Amino acid sequence: MKAALLIFLFSSGGHWFADREGVVSVRWAANAPMPAADLAWELTLGAVRLAGDRVALQAGDRVTEIRVPCPGIRAHTSLNWTYRVIGRADGKELDSGTLPVYVYPTNLTEHWAERVGRRSVMVCDVGDGLPKLLAAARVPHERVDDGSKLRGPQADVLLVGPDMLGRDPLEQTSFLALARGGASVMIFRQGRPESLAGFEVVHRAAPKRFEWLVDHPLLAETGVGAGPSLPELASADLMAVRLPAGAEALELGWWPTESRDPSRAVPIDALLVTQAVGKGRVVLCQIPLGDWQTDPRSQILLGNALDYLLTPVEPTPPRDRRGAATRPAPIPTSSRTILIPSGDKP
């Protein structure tokens, strides 16, 4: 295996919007002195060159930042970013390679407002997070920055932004009360609570593969079963929701278990969970999503959530009382094929 000369980090894991610039950060892999060199790159669609340039690589551990203009496209498209490292003294090629880039149309949010219609949406998040994206998509919503301040009529949907909850489980009381009353509540990744919706939260290293319920509407168009999609799970310190054996909650993305019998009641550690609660539902999403404004994968998942959260609530049977449709075969994943690749060159 050829040793890596350079380390590459792609903004949003190489998932970029059309007609915007993506950023590739490059630095030498070794701390030893390296020869003065340039990096020549091209962005291509098949045999068609879309963009390219040649830049001087920074010496030592300094980062070279390359801005890559993305073309206008009408549909999700895979491109190739090809590079060559050329010694400045003798013009010899020191390294080369090709890395994937995924480009998305800029209209991912255009139908959100009509999907929501007259249903009410409440958001507990900082102003430049979910509220900014929903406002840009013209989705009417009410914002609070503290769950204890929830007042007024019952909302149809409540979205709780990342890291909005502290360690006190009482902070979640109002959210769960809304769910029991008929609301659909989705809580995005939380790092501080020791429990979420009554389930223990535990630190877990990423497995070699995750298992996914790929047919669930929350995972539509995310590509978890076929290629790159959501955030950097391969190297992240993940916070899993631990579902006890027999829990009436449906795991949508989870760590494989040792049990080969999917009907056997065993504890499950999950990244994505949905559960019927009273007249409503709670969805726990511990996937570390990218920026709402710039990461297309985050927008795809949020669009799926707005669709799913407004559907009628169905009872959630325990794992050992489900039909075959909710027992998918394991889907192999890796740092190169699942959930926002790290961008590092292997």
Side-chain angles (χ1 to χ4, degrees):
M1 180 182 294
K2 183 174 68 171
L5 283 181
L6 299 172
I7 294 174
F8 297 89
L9 183 63
F10 287 67
S11 61
S12 297
H15 293 251
W16 297 339
F17 277 113
D19 291 321
R20 301 184 191 175
E21 284 188 332
V23 178
V24 182
S25 300
V26 187
R27 65 179 175 85
W28 293 103
N31 292 326
M34 303 300 289
D38 295 333
L39 186 144
W41 63 268
E42 289 186 341
L43 185 67
T44 59
L45 174 59
V48 178
R49 184 180 187 270
L50 303 174
D53 200 0
R54 179 166 172 161
V55 299
L57 288 172
Q58 297 281 351
D61 60 356
R62 289 182 293 175
V63 173
T64 302
E65 190 173 274
I66 299 169
R67 308 195 76 84
V68 181
C70 284
I73 55 96
R74 299 185 182 90
H76 179 199
T77 304
S78 298
L79 306 179
N80 287 320
W81 191 80
T82 302
Y83 68 91
R84 295 169 56 235
V85 182
I86 304 166
R88 205 171 298 151
D90 54 13
K92 290 185 178 180
E93 182 177 293
L94 306 177
D95 194 13
S96 64
T98 299
L99 297 169
V101 169
Y102 306 92
V103 182
Y104 299 74
T106 57
N107 63 348
L108 296 179
T109 68
E110 69 174 344
H111 297 298
W112 288 6
E114 62 187 75
R115 292 175 190 171
V116 172
R118 296 186 178 182
R119 274 77 64 89
S120 58
V121 177
M122 186 172 292
V123 182
C124 180
D125 198 9
V126 295
D128 61 352
L130 282 166
K132 182 177 180 180
L133 177 59
L134 293 174
R138 302 181 183 275
V139 175
H141 62 281
E142 180 182 349
R143 173 183 169 258
V144 296
D145 55 12
D146 185 341
S148 65
K149 297 178 181 178
L150 291 174
R151 299 290 186 273
Q154 171 90 9
D156 294 302
V157 170
L158 171 63
L159 303 173
V160 182
D163 292 319
M164 290 300 295
L165 301 178
R167 294 174 64 87
D168 188 352
L170 292 177
E171 291 184 42
Q172 303 174 37
T173 302
S174 56
F175 303 146
L176 300 178
L178 283 174
R180 285 191 290 270
S184 284
V185 178
M186 186 160 185
I187 302 177
F188 291 96
R189 187 177 189 269
Q190 306 298 319
R192 288 176 290 178
E194 295 180 352
S195 64
L196 286 171
F199 299 118
E200 182 185 6
V201 175
V202 296
H203 287 268
R204 287 292 307 265
K208 292 183 178 179
R209 61 178 174 84
F210 281 90
E211 297 185 22
W212 299 93
L213 190 57
V214 294
D215 293 332
H216 194 276
L218 271 173
L219 296 174
E221 304 299 326
T222 61
V224 292
S229 57
L230 301 169
E232 297 155 84
L233 297 184
S235 59
D237 178 22
L238 302 174
M239 304 289 289
V241 176
R242 179 157 290 172
L243 305 177
E248 294 185 356
L250 177 62
E251 63 281 2
L252 306 180
W254 67 98
W255 276 254
T257 64
E258 294 182 354
S259 173
R260 300 296 181 182
D261 181 0
S263 66
R264 181 184 174 192
V266 296
I268 297 289
D269 287 345
L271 280 176
L272 186 59
V273 175
T274 183
Q275 179 190 34
V277 177
K279 298 178 181 179
R281 65 162 64 89
V282 174
V283 178
L284 305 176
C285 178
Q286 287 294 86
I287 298 170
L289 296 171
D291 184 87
W292 296 114
Q293 322 304 325
T294 61
D295 196 322
R297 299 154 300 173
S298 299
Q299 292 190 14
I300 289 171
L301 185 62
L302 182 56
N304 291 346
L306 290 174
D307 281 337
Y308 172 65
L309 295 172
L310 291 169
T311 60
V313 177
E314 300 179 20
T316 311
R319 184 178 174 86
D320 58 352
R321 294 209 303 267
R322 297 177 197 158
T326 59
R327 298 174 191 164
I331 296 169
T333 66
S334 71
S335 62
R336 304 303 294 178
T337 61
I338 181 66
L339 301 184
I340 299 184
S342 66
D344 288 353
K345 181 176 179 290

